[in-house]
Amino acid sequence: MTSDLFASSATPAPDAEAVAQLRRTLHEHAHRYYVLDDPLISDAEYDRLFQQLQAIEAAHPELVTPDSPTQRVGGRPLDAFASVRHALPMLSIRTETDTEASGAEAFDGRVRRELGLDAAAPAIEYVTEPKFDGLAMSLRYVRGVLVQAATRGDGELGEEVTQNIRTIGQIPLAPTLLAARSSLPPEGALAPWGGPAALGSGASLPQVPEVLEVRGEVYMRRDDFEALNARQREKGLKTFVNPRNAAAGAVRQLDPAIAAQRPLSFFAYGLGEVTPVEQGGPVFETHFELLQTLKAWGFPVSDLVQVAQGAPELIAYYESIARTRDSLGFDIDGVVYKVNSLALQRRMGFVTREPRWAVAHKFPAQEQITTVLGIEVQVGRTGKLTPVAKLAPVFVGGVTVTNATLHNEDEARRKDVRVGDSVVVRRAGDVIPEVVAVLVEKRPPDAPQFTMPQQCPVCGSTALREEGEVDYRCSGGLFCSAQRKQSILHFAQRRAVEVEGLGEKLVDQLVDGHVIRTLPDLYRLGLTALASLARMADKSAQNIVVALEKSKQTTLPRFLFGLGIRHVGEATAKELARHFGSLDAIMDASEEQLLSVADVGPIVAHSLRTFFDQPHNREVVAQLRACGVNWSEGAPAVQAPQPLAGKTLVLTGTLPTLSRDQAKDLIEAAGGKVAGSVSKKTSYLVAGAEAGSKLDKALELGVAVLDEAGLKDLLNGHS
Ligand code: IVH
């Protein structure tokens, strides 16, 4: 047993080799956890080993080493960072911003020219890597122990941030050749771990040299960034604009205790000073081999690193990484191409601060700075008022952005965007553009704070924000032309009844010119009325008439969705149509009857009832029908038997044949509810293999427990 070794932490001093062994074990487990994401032991077991080491070190401070895992967090807040001179300068890379092919081809062409290769010579081999969007870091190890971490600074002089970098779990404090990882002792046991000497399969890889500088990027994962910002917001502290700023802030945090709470990650991509080969340093032929060795020494190296032959494979890499960019879990701002052969790299050398053998091929920026020209309040179909920042046009994330929603009053307040502000706008993937930060220091003097209007900006009716709601709404209803326009557009959209060619401009013209007022008016539009509109060609007017005629033949779900009842989306409309079969049945259903439809909860039921209780809404429906809008109706769906109506079930463990989702669907189809935890209100606990605390709780509360077969009996109506 491990614990016996160190049972008494007082005298006599434990054997230094045994302590070193315990440390190695902890390093190994930390590497599996942080870098490989493949832990061998539970967190609790890790904590137990860690505390054991802490206890030994507390009793015997002479045994504490700087590479001990207990030394990651510690140290006092600094007044300033010390300046350090890099043993080898930290270079930057030449950047190609041209999109697609040209950047890669231009680079490959230059490399071939500089190496004096003609067209007939074979393709150059490259290593392709993501360009991580964080900050460059140089980690210096002497005799296998981290002694210094420094930022890039100006490339010659950086800042010493060792205290903060030690808190990054992914960065090894004492790297060793870890190739034979399977030799790790299983949980609980401290089997002999002979260290590097015992490694068979790693024999071909070099040991960690006397002096080793690893260069790479410190960054923050997007999920860690979101969680950090949520915590900051909760504490009323300032949030960070993007993961890179958050990472830079954490690295340059003078108090290491605060830095330790900012979750950072690391990718290694190269070397600085290393013990020369003549003095026993490692021999590498290629950059790729070097990265594989760093990986074997315990450094995180991205799985996205690849070897590529010639320009075509560089282009293919650029394109494939560009496609996956938004789903990576961390920000990148391009890719990096490097000549793989280190001999060729040496032949090519440098121009000033940039190696000739590497280039960064950037992606279009996802963030830009622009100015706020105005803040407009838009009125939606249901009267919702949305503040929208009008921006000086800016090309970001591949499109020109002129608007960014501020969502609602609370969001607008939180961001405190003002007219005249310089703002950071972000557009990533298909996500709608967002103002992520205001550059307050650039704010013009006396820029007024934004306030929501108390009147609808379109019709002047009172705007109200009801208790518990985030949105202001115009109380004007169909008096408000903005709401009427939006409801017409909603009705005419492709997913509703679809009136081809009826777009925003035309609806504006029709409503603002008082040509139509309500939805049914649309179907009373004649060719003459349409053709007399400004900028309307006869042919286009004719097309609209045809489209209107065509739209009359529709389906019940499309029509119902098209009415624009709050909370009734396409899926709910389909369910309602299936359940009731006819529009009249839906219009006359009570809230209770509506509640028996899958997908319909109290809010939706109430919204439907309120809508159809308004005489003018029924009138609109009647007029649309009178104008010829029609669909075929069916009989109401046969109500499936509901043996579990009113029952609440909880699922735990693994059932022999049903997945969680399948069991849940079956229970819900039978009228039952599925809850996440056991309480006195639980009707049944359905327990499968490896049921845990929920089973104990159910037994304690006397809740009936079923297995899968028991559940199936219930579903079939046997109890
Ligand atoms: S190599 C000799 N590889 O980009 C070349 N740099 O100007 C040294 N960066 O701030 C850098 N990902 O931190 C290299 N895969 C990668 C990189 C990378 C991001 C950063 C680096 C530096 C800038 C280069």
Side-chain angles (χ1 to χ4, degrees):
M1 280 292 289
T2 337
S3 45
D4 296 338
L5 250 176
F6 309 104
S8 68
S9 55
T11 47
D15 164 15
E17 178 46 36
V19 180
Q21 194 155 300
L22 176 56
R23 253 178 222 133
R24 278 196 296 269
T25 304
L26 280 161
H27 278 312
E28 276 278 290
H29 286 305
H31 176 258
R32 291 198 69 105
Y33 180 87
Y34 288 111
V35 181
L36 306 178
D37 204 7
D38 180 24
L40 256 191
I41 61 172
S42 65
D43 292 3
E45 176 62 6
Y46 182 85
D47 291 345
R48 197 184 67 74
L49 292 172
F50 189 86
Q51 283 156 13
Q52 201 172 65
L53 180 61
Q54 269 182 326
I56 296 166
E57 291 180 346
H60 301 281
E62 74 280 5
L63 292 177
V64 179
T65 56
D67 68 321
S68 175
T70 60
Q71 303 302 301
R72 282 201 184 269
V73 191
R76 291 164 214 293
L78 303 171
D79 294 327
F81 295 110
S83 184
V84 286
R85 180 165 294 279
H86 295 296
L88 282 182
M90 286 182 81
L91 304 168
S92 56
I93 332 180
R94 174 186 168 129
T95 301
E96 300 272 353
T97 31
D98 299 4
T99 42
E100 281 82 52
S102 51
E105 276 164 358
F107 173 61
D108 183 54
R110 264 201 325 274
V111 171
R112 297 179 69 90
R113 259 194 319 281
E114 274 158 27
L115 291 172
L117 299 177
D118 60 24
I124 303 273
E125 183 167 278
Y126 296 100
V127 172
T128 50
E129 304 174 8
K131 186 168 187 308
F132 310 107
D133 200 4
L135 59 153
M137 190 63 55
S138 184
L139 307 173
R140 187 175 173 87
Y141 295 84
V142 175
R143 280 181 288 282
V145 175
L146 176 67
V147 294
Q148 186 178 78
T151 63
R152 178 164 178 272
D154 64 2
E156 301 281 343
L157 290 177
E159 285 180 314
E160 214 243 82
V161 290
T162 321
Q163 290 207 87
N164 293 342
I165 294 307
R166 284 179 164 288
T167 66
I168 304 177
Q170 286 193 336
I171 292 184
L173 298 177
T176 41
L177 191 56
L178 295 167
R181 223 163 273 117
S182 55
S183 69
L184 258 188
E187 173 147 358
L190 185 61
W193 158 250
L199 298 173
S201 61
S204 61
L205 290 171
Q207 299 295 337
V208 175
E210 164 112 357
V211 172
L212 171 69
E213 274 183 17
V214 174
R215 302 236 163 121
E217 198 87 349
V218 169
Y219 67 98
M220 195 177 284
R221 291 182 49 85
R222 285 190 198 128
D223 51 359
D224 287 334
F225 166 74
E226 296 297 342
L228 170 64
N229 263 357
R231 287 200 299 275
Q232 293 285 105
R233 223 170 276 139
E234 242 165 57
K235 293 189 207 151
L237 297 172
K238 112 178 196 347
T239 54
F240 299 93
V241 176
N242 55 36
R244 178 167 34 80
N245 287 15
V251 166
R252 302 201 67 260
Q253 175 53 244
L254 289 164
D255 183 351
I258 297 180
Q261 293 160 18
R262 308 264 171 92
L264 295 173
S265 300
F266 180 77
F267 277 126
Y269 55 61
L271 293 177
E273 190 189 13
V274 181
T275 307
V277 181
E278 311 80 65
Q279 292 168 34
V283 186
F284 299 117
E285 308 259 309
T286 63
H287 180 67
F288 192 73
E289 184 193 332
L290 175 166
L291 292 181
Q292 296 312 306
T293 308
L294 286 177
K295 202 170 181 173
W297 288 343
F299 292 91
V301 174
S302 169
D303 290 337
L304 300 170
V305 172
Q306 283 178 13
V307 174
Q309 315 292 335
E313 290 190 15
L314 296 182
I315 295 164
Y317 184 77
Y318 177 93
E319 285 170 353
S320 96
I321 297 291
R323 271 196 301 278
T324 49
R325 179 185 189 185
D326 294 312
S327 53
L328 283 184
F330 51 86
D331 283 357
I332 60 174
D333 54 353
V335 292
V336 180
Y337 310 134
K338 298 174 182 171
V339 170
N340 194 19
S341 155
L342 298 184
L344 290 186
Q345 284 189 9
R346 280 189 290 271
R347 241 172 85 188
M348 295 183 73
F350 306 87
V351 239
T352 55
R353 289 300 178 71
E354 297 169 351
R356 287 203 181 84
W357 43 263
V359 79
H361 194 172
K362 290 252 217 169
F363 294 143
Q366 291 181 322
E367 281 181 9
Q368 290 292 357
I369 293 171
T370 187
T371 38
V372 178
L373 303 177
I375 299 178
E376 213 173 69
V377 175
Q378 296 180 348
V379 186
R381 172 171 55 82
T382 58
K384 178 175 148 183
L385 303 190
T386 307
V388 176
K390 297 275 152 187
L391 306 168
V394 61
F395 192 73
V396 53
V399 300
T400 300
V401 171
T402 52
N403 289 319
T405 177
L406 300 175
H407 302 287
N408 54 51
E409 181 180 40
D410 295 350
E411 271 290 296
R413 263 228 189 117
R414 190 171 71 72
K415 290 193 170 149
D416 190 17
V417 178
R418 304 186 189 189
V419 177
D421 269 344
S422 296
V423 292
V424 179
V425 177
R426 181 177 172 88
R427 180 183 180 272
D430 293 332
V431 183
I432 55 168
E434 228 202 326
V435 171
V436 287
V438 175
L439 307 177
V440 183
E441 63 284 1
K442 288 199 175 177
R443 174 169 288 165
D446 14 279
Q449 203 174 350
F450 169 76
T451 48
M452 280 300 272
Q454 303 302 302
Q455 264 93 38
C456 171
V458 174
C459 73
S461 304
T462 312
L464 291 172
R465 178 176 174 177
E466 278 178 33
E467 190 131 339
E469 295 259 328
V470 293
D471 295 314
Y472 271 85
R473 276 175 205 282
C474 160
S475 60
L478 291 181
F479 171 72
C480 178
S481 65
Q483 293 189 46
R484 276 187 282 129
K485 285 178 188 171
Q486 292 300 323
S487 21
I488 292 168
L489 284 167
H490 177 82
F491 186 79
Q493 70 173 295
R494 197 177 42 79
R495 283 150 47 218
V497 302
E498 183 169 28
V499 184
E500 228 176 290
L502 190 74
E504 207 166 321
K505 287 224 173 70
L506 182 53
V507 171
D508 280 352
Q509 243 182 323
L510 290 168
V511 174
D512 293 340
H514 305 286
V515 184
I516 64 170
R517 231 191 99 72
T518 65
L519 254 187
D521 289 347
L522 206 53
Y523 289 99
R524 300 187 189 111
L525 274 175
L527 189 58
T528 349
L530 279 166
S532 62
L533 291 172
R535 296 180 303 277
M536 174 69 82
D538 286 353
K539 179 74 188 138
S540 318
Q542 181 63 46
N543 287 345
I544 299 286
V545 170
V546 171
L548 278 165
E549 202 50 42
K550 190 171 152 210
S551 74
K552 287 182 183 171
Q553 180 62 52
T554 186
T555 66
L556 179 51
R558 281 170 171 270
F559 182 80
L560 194 56
F561 169 61
L563 289 177
I565 305 166
R566 253 185 107 186
H567 307 298
V568 178
E570 274 180 287
T572 308
K574 276 190 193 139
E575 249 340 286
L576 285 164
R578 199 186 62 79
H579 186 98
F580 288 102
S582 75
L583 184 62
D584 291 329
I586 298 170
M587 292 205 294
D588 295 335
S590 67
E591 283 190 32
E592 290 71 44
Q593 287 168 323
L594 289 165
L595 278 173
S596 63
V597 180
D599 222 32
V600 174
I603 294 177
V604 180
H606 184 70
S607 171
L608 278 158
R609 219 28 288 140
T610 313
F611 184 89
F612 288 119
D613 280 344
Q614 305 248 348
H616 74 79
N617 287 335
R618 286 184 172 255
E619 184 56 31
V620 164
V621 170
Q623 287 185 21
L624 284 169
R625 282 173 138 170
C627 290
V629 179
N630 71 96
W631 55 87
S632 65
E633 298 201 326
V638 203
Q639 170 81 53
Q642 302 260 290
L644 292 183
K647 303 271 192 250
T648 301
L649 287 82
V650 174
L651 299 166
T652 185
T654 313
L655 299 177
T657 71
L658 294 174
S659 74
R660 271 288 160 101
D661 284 340
Q662 286 168 333
K664 185 163 181 264
D665 287 348
L666 288 171
I667 292 167
E668 286 174 350
K673 286 209 175 74
V674 176
S677 60
V678 176
S679 74
K680 274 183 285 185
K681 296 204 190 105
T682 309
S683 319
Y684 300 99
L685 175 78
V686 183
E690 282 163 60
S693 58
K694 287 181 191 166
L695 181 56
D696 300 339
K697 185 84 187 277
L699 295 174
E700 187 189 315
L701 294 176
V703 170
V705 178
L706 302 172
D707 59 5
E708 184 179 296
L711 171 65
K712 286 184 174 162
D713 281 347
L714 269 190
L715 291 169
N716 292 329
H718 318 295
S719 45

